[in-house]
Amino acid sequence: MKELTISLNGESVTPLYEQIYQYLKTEIQRRQILPGECLPSSRALALGLAVSRSTVDMAYMQLVSEGYIESIPRRGYFVCDLEGMLQLPQEVPAVSVPEEEPAGTCRFDFDINGIDEDGFPFHQWGKISRQVLREGPKLFRLGDPRGEKSLRCVLASYLHHARGVSCSPEQIVVGAGNDYLLMLLRVILGGNRRIAMENPTYKSAFLCFSHLGYEVMGIGMDACGMRVEELKRSGADTAYVMPSHQFPMGSVMPLKRRMQLLSWASDEAGRYILEDDYDSEFRYRGKPIPALQGYDNHDRVIYLGTFSKSIAPAIRISYMVLPKSLIAAYEKRGRDFSVTVSRADQKIIETFIRDGHYERHLNRMRAIYKSKHDCLVAQLKGMAKICRVSGENAGLHVVLRFVNGMSEQEAVCRAEAAGVKVYGISDYDTSVLGQTASEGVLLGYASLTEEEIAEGISRLKAAWQDK
């Protein structure tokens, strides 16, 4: 067994597990550690480096997944013989490159799609991944086109208790992202439909519908969400809404407006409501309002959910709850399409939810995001003469509307000049001929630290207050 001396930098921004992984990878590539050599056990290496065993396990797991080492049960970790592997030179000259920000980037990015990456449950996810992979070759067979039955059972139970969604596992279809599910839905419903969307709206869904050949129309909003009277006049037969936290405006649809939408859907045969419940897990005032689907007594709501915000965008696991009336159409046309999420990934998320890890993760992330949210709102109180804040009671972004006469374009340009990236509401407007329904900017705070939030808002105040 080869002894290893690895110099770790506890103050580096690079995680310790990644430092261990990079060291071992480089040594194997240079053939300083030869094929067939046995590495120290994770316990022994952790003890020698004075780090946690889970840190070493994560480094070893990454090396195993990339094929540099292999784990032999009851024997240990051994370096693989990679024929033709690139050998790095023994001496790599150090090149001093001055650190500078890439052109066109800002130091403080209030990214509306960001998450707190440090909050990802690396240890638990890795542990479950190893546990799942021990199930062997059966994981690589094609599974049920709707997704694994065991995962759909877990999702049905979770949705009932957490979101008030009433469904059976047979109504759930799992897919790699909402875009895939919307494409699958077109196969189920057919393409001759008119889709109504709130304006402004989630542009990715708008473009997806447009590319699928649907006739898409923007419906105006008020403080409660989509205007139902305007929806009735539009002639649409499908309404796409985000009642728990509308994107980008951040409004939460009250119960009365939800009932009005359900009444519209039930008035004519073939009408449906697409409910996108993308970040309902995060709410900072009052209790979460149950999903619109839970109030549906006429089988008209198609429910969409995802783990992109609650865990990570790259997880790429979403799910769709079909009304019972559409199950036959799915069986006839949708089952021809194989599920787009691997069985291993499905099993990992199933275990993560079933064993209570997801709930604990959400509780931890709610606390983290609540602290960032409160920091942002507190900082924005000093800008009352510049802008007013809305949409701050849920989700991971807020909306700013200017009261000092500044336009959205001017605000975005001034912010960028100050090294701060903000996002214009007009980017999500579906109006035609340059007519803009809304102006203002969006600030996402999930990916920033509280110190970065404070500094970023301070820069915005200085950039915007002299209008």
Side-chain angles (χ1 to χ4, degrees):
M1 182 179 296
K2 191 175 186 70
E3 293 186 3
L4 300 174
T5 302
I6 306 175
S7 178
L8 300 179
N9 183 359
E11 297 181 357
S12 171
V13 296
T14 304
L16 294 177
Y17 85 90
E18 188 171 334
Q19 294 182 45
I20 298 171
Y21 153 76
Q22 290 289 356
Y23 173 86
L24 291 174
K25 177 181 176 180
T26 301
E27 291 297 283
I28 292 171
Q29 289 177 334
R30 291 175 175 173
R31 296 200 177 258
Q32 295 298 314
I33 304 178
L34 298 175
E37 285 195 42
C38 179
L39 297 180
S41 68
S42 58
R43 186 186 300 276
L45 184 56
L47 183 64
L49 297 178
V51 298
S52 69
R53 186 177 178 183
S54 63
T55 299
V56 177
D57 283 336
M58 288 175 64
Y60 277 1
M61 182 175 66
Q62 184 63 32
L63 291 166
V64 169
S65 67
E66 294 184 14
Y68 285 95
I69 65 176
E70 61 179 337
S71 175
I72 301 178
R74 294 185 293 277
R75 291 188 60 195
Y77 291 96
F78 292 83
V79 178
C80 295
D81 185 4
L82 303 179
E83 185 177 353
M85 180 181 66
L86 173 66
Q87 297 186 36
L88 299 180
Q90 296 296 319
E91 296 294 333
V92 180
V95 179
S96 177
V97 179
E99 293 187 6
E100 59 180 28
E101 295 180 359
T105 63
C106 292
R107 181 179 175 187
F108 300 95
D109 187 351
F110 285 88
D111 184 6
I112 53 178
N113 295 312
I115 64 166
D116 189 317
E117 296 179 358
D118 292 335
F120 185 83
F122 285 102
H123 172 68
Q124 201 60 54
W125 200 266
K127 183 177 179 180
I128 295 173
S129 298
R130 293 190 296 274
Q131 173 187 330
V132 167
L133 290 175
R134 283 197 290 268
E135 295 188 15
K138 69 178 183 179
L139 289 174
F140 303 100
R141 302 170 190 160
L142 282 176
D144 191 314
R146 288 174 297 186
E148 295 301 291
K149 177 67 176 293
S150 54
L151 170 59
R152 289 184 285 115
C153 288
V154 167
L155 284 174
S157 176
Y158 165 75
L159 289 173
H160 176 70
H161 291 99
R163 299 296 301 127
V165 172
S166 178
C167 68
S168 66
E170 287 68 35
Q171 293 173 250
I172 298 177
V173 181
V174 175
N178 282 7
D179 291 344
Y180 165 76
L181 293 175
L182 293 179
M183 288 188 283
L184 180 61
L185 190 59
R186 187 192 187 281
V187 175
I188 299 170
L189 291 175
N192 188 26
R193 301 193 71 84
R194 305 182 74 184
I195 310 291
M197 304 185 74
E198 297 157 314
N199 186 36
T201 192
Y202 179 44
K203 207 59 172 288
S204 179
F206 172 81
L207 293 174
C208 184
F209 288 134
S210 299
H211 295 325
L212 290 173
Y214 286 125
E215 181 182 354
V216 188
M217 59 198 70
I219 304 296
M221 293 178 59
D222 56 24
C224 297
M226 181 180 283
R227 293 190 177 101
V228 178
E229 291 303 317
E230 188 175 336
L231 171 63
K232 292 177 180 178
R233 294 192 298 268
S234 70
D237 52 26
T238 306
Y240 173 94
V241 294
M242 295 163 277
S244 293
H245 186 234
Q246 202 275 343
F247 184 89
M249 303 311 295
S251 60
V252 178
M253 186 179 291
L255 185 58
K256 181 178 179 180
R257 182 61 55 87
R258 297 177 186 226
M259 296 298 103
Q260 291 172 340
L261 275 176
L262 290 172
S263 176
W264 166 84
S266 63
D267 280 346
E268 289 188 18
R271 284 181 176 176
Y272 290 101
I273 298 172
L274 266 172
E275 178 183 12
D276 191 341
D277 206 26
Y278 73 102
D279 72 349
S280 60
E281 295 87 2
F282 304 113
R283 184 171 174 82
Y284 311 114
R285 183 177 299 173
K287 294 182 179 180
I289 300 176
L292 178 64
Q293 195 269 3
Y295 296 102
D296 179 20
N297 296 321
H298 298 278
D299 211 30
R300 299 302 180 91
V301 177
I302 302 167
Y303 179 91
L304 295 172
T306 180
F307 296 103
S308 292
K309 287 290 188 181
S310 59
I311 301 180
I315 296 298
R316 304 307 297 158
I317 300 180
S318 297
Y319 46 90
M320 174 170 61
V321 179
L322 294 171
K324 293 177 182 178
S325 59
L326 289 179
I327 293 179
Y330 170 78
E331 292 292 335
K332 182 178 180 180
R333 296 185 289 271
R335 288 186 66 86
D336 294 334
F337 297 84
S338 298
V339 67
T340 50
V341 181
S342 73
R343 297 182 76 183
D345 286 336
Q346 291 185 63
K347 193 66 178 178
I348 291 169
I349 197 71
E350 172 198 332
T351 306
F352 192 65
I353 299 172
R354 186 195 61 227
D355 292 353
H357 304 300
Y358 183 51
E359 184 176 357
R360 288 190 286 272
H361 169 71
L362 282 179
N363 288 336
R364 185 165 62 88
M365 295 313 298
R366 285 187 187 109
I368 291 173
Y369 289 144
K370 176 67 163 59
S371 182
K372 293 183 178 185
H373 163 273
D374 292 349
C375 174
L376 176 64
V377 172
Q379 294 293 326
L380 289 172
K381 286 182 179 179
M383 298 173 60
K385 294 182 179 180
I386 300 173
C387 57
R388 56 183 174 86
V389 185
S390 62
E392 74 277 19
N393 295 328
L396 301 176
H397 78 276
V398 300
V399 181
L400 302 186
R401 297 288 190 86
F402 297 100
V403 297
N404 64 344
M406 186 164 48
S407 69
E408 174 190 301
Q409 183 177 5
E410 183 181 0
V412 172
C413 291
R414 286 188 176 204
E416 186 172 357
V420 183
K421 179 69 173 176
V422 298
Y423 298 82
I425 294 176
S426 63
D427 291 341
Y428 304 91
D429 197 294
T430 61
S431 301
V432 296
L433 301 178
Q435 298 172 352
T436 302
S438 303
E439 278 205 354
V441 299
L442 309 174
L443 302 183
Y445 52 85
S447 59
L448 298 174
T449 65
E450 293 184 28
E451 291 76 15
E452 289 170 333
I453 290 172
E455 175 62 22
I457 296 300
S458 176
R459 292 191 179 202
L460 289 178
K461 183 177 181 181
W464 290 344
Q465 67 182 355
D466 61 344
K467 171 62 182 178

